[in-house]
Amino acid sequence: MKAPRFGKWFAGLTLLNQPQHKQVLEALQPAVGLERVIALIEQIRAAGRCCPRCQCAAWQRHGHANNLQRYRCRQCGHTFNDLSGTPLARLRLKEKWIDHLSALLDSLPVRRAASRVGVHRNTAFRWRHRFVHWVKRDSPERLSGIVEADEMFLLESQKGSRKLDRPARKHGGAAKKRGISRALDCILVARDRSGQTIDAVTGRGALTARQLEHHLLPKLDPQALLVSDANAAYRAFARKHRITHQTVNLRAGHRVRASSTGAIHVQNVNAYHQRFRQWLAPFHGVASRYLPNYLGWRRALDGGRIISTKQLLHIAIRPIHR
């Protein structure tokens, strides 16, 4: 629209009645959402923009496509935009991303999120896991001081699978065997007293020392004090790697012990387990293959660490601790 024509149209806005005002605002809302998302993406990527192929930071502008500025690498000639190489690459309907991020912050189930955003429930489900794909990798590099570690178990689920490798269970069901078995997914959570948290789905069944070496050892400060329950896997792991280790015997009712280094307990990590279970309940069960995504999503929200759509979009595109 040319400037004189736009000026005439803009001057006529004051003559609109209330229903017409509402109609204009509803028509402009997608454009406003699109501009806001594009501005946030450019702001997030501006500092470290580089070629996703060769990591070269020398680039030049190379036109526009799909509402995003494209760039051309001066070293390899590869063209890219600010979403290239991220889980959000090639996602459409950018004008609705802010509403979707808001639904993630509110932890809405798929159908409620789809209703709020105005997309199909399958789209809302795919978007959920694209947006939290890198969120799960946004974890602290080290746990230090007093580090509490404990595992929790959830019933293995093949929800959404077209073919099952076992008989179907009605309404979630229960494990056939009592106690810890291969029918349960093991989730390891470690948390220091400053609130830094790591988590991992270690596999099915009981936790082993080898799994602790793989998931916990790279994140554990050598000078840290590891506190756990009386599980033998922690003792074997700590003895092998010469890690200072203290235990509490929960079965015997010993929840807290005094020590010169501080109170010895695993109540912080057990409280985290409880919050995760309560947060997960409205989703009515999640597939085992998606558990790492839900763990990362919950970790981002825990303790108010992520409170805005901008922060959530930032780690969805570029994790802080990666």
Side-chain angles (χ1 to χ4, degrees):
M1 183 183 295
K2 293 184 178 180
R5 187 178 177 186
F6 173 77
K8 184 177 180 181
W9 175 85
F10 187 78
L13 291 178
T14 57
L15 304 177
L16 301 180
N17 56 32
Q18 187 173 357
Q20 291 171 337
H21 270 292
K22 184 178 180 181
Q23 186 176 352
V24 170
L25 290 175
E26 290 176 353
L28 291 177
Q29 186 174 1
V32 174
L34 178 61
E35 292 296 328
R36 185 181 175 191
V37 166
I38 292 174
L40 285 175
I41 293 172
E42 291 181 349
Q43 181 182 351
I44 291 168
R45 299 294 286 183
R49 184 179 293 124
C50 63
C51 175
R53 175 180 290 179
C54 68
Q55 308 302 315
C56 176
W59 45 263
Q60 62 188 29
R61 296 182 183 274
H62 195 72
H64 287 77
N66 300 319
N67 303 115
L68 290 174
Q69 173 71 53
R70 290 197 67 80
Y71 305 92
R72 184 177 183 275
C73 177
R74 293 184 176 180
Q75 178 170 297
C76 68
H78 180 66
T79 60
F80 60 95
N81 62 35
D82 283 333
L83 295 179
S84 298
T86 75
L88 307 188
R90 297 183 178 87
L91 278 188
R92 301 177 183 272
L93 302 177
K94 296 180 183 65
E95 63 274 11
K96 297 187 177 184
W97 286 10
I98 295 296
D99 291 336
H100 179 69
L101 289 165
S102 176
L104 287 177
L105 287 176
D106 293 339
S107 303
L108 296 185
V110 167
R111 285 175 173 79
R112 289 178 58 190
S115 177
R116 174 185 289 188
V117 179
V119 296
H120 192 269
R121 61 181 181 275
N122 292 348
T123 301
F125 180 79
R126 288 195 300 269
W127 281 13
R128 167 186 291 178
H129 293 288
R130 291 281 284 272
F131 273 84
V132 303
H133 181 73
W134 276 4
V135 173
K136 66 185 176 186
R137 297 163 59 180
D138 185 55
S139 61
E141 295 182 0
R142 289 284 181 180
L143 300 180
S144 58
I146 298 177
V147 178
E148 302 175 21
D150 199 5
E151 68 275 15
M152 63 180 291
F153 296 90
L154 295 176
L155 187 64
E156 172 269 340
S157 172
Q158 299 180 34
K159 183 178 180 180
S161 300
R162 295 182 180 273
K163 294 183 180 180
L164 305 180
D165 57 12
R166 53 162 175 76
R169 296 191 295 257
K170 293 184 178 179
H171 305 293
K176 290 185 178 180
K177 296 181 180 179
R178 296 181 61 184
I180 299 173
S181 69
R182 297 285 298 174
L184 301 175
D185 290 317
C186 179
I187 300 172
L188 172 68
V189 178
R191 184 179 175 92
D192 64 23
R193 296 290 168 87
S194 68
Q196 299 283 358
T197 306
I198 64 166
D199 47 50
V201 181
T202 61
R204 305 260 180 91
L207 182 68
T208 66
R210 180 174 295 181
Q211 292 169 342
L212 287 170
E213 289 178 1
H214 178 70
H215 296 287
L216 180 58
L217 185 60
K219 298 285 189 178
L220 193 62
D221 189 280
Q223 305 302 320
L225 169 62
L226 179 63
V227 181
S228 71
D229 58 15
N231 190 334
Y234 294 102
R235 292 199 300 270
F237 163 73
R239 188 182 306 114
K240 179 178 179 180
H241 297 282
R242 298 182 178 181
I243 295 171
T244 308
H245 180 222
Q246 294 281 351
T247 63
V248 288
N249 193 341
L250 298 178
R251 291 186 177 181
H254 302 155
R255 297 185 177 275
V256 182
R257 289 194 296 105
S259 171
S260 59
T261 57
I264 303 300
H265 61 77
V266 290
Q267 293 183 358
N268 288 328
V269 72
N270 286 338
Y272 187 90
H273 289 168
Q274 183 66 22
R275 292 196 299 273
F276 179 71
R277 290 182 186 276
Q278 292 175 348
W279 175 82
L280 204 62
F283 299 113
H284 301 291
V286 299
S288 295
R289 65 180 182 272
Y290 291 124
L291 264 181
N293 288 355
Y294 284 91
L295 284 168
W297 181 8
R298 175 59 204 170
R299 189 177 64 249
L301 300 179
D302 187 66
R305 189 167 70 90
I306 302 298
I307 59 174
S308 69
T309 55
K310 179 182 178 180
Q311 290 175 305
L312 190 55
L313 181 62
H314 189 287
I315 61 174
I317 296 176
R318 198 163 110 190
I320 299 168
H321 295 100
R322 190 164 68 91

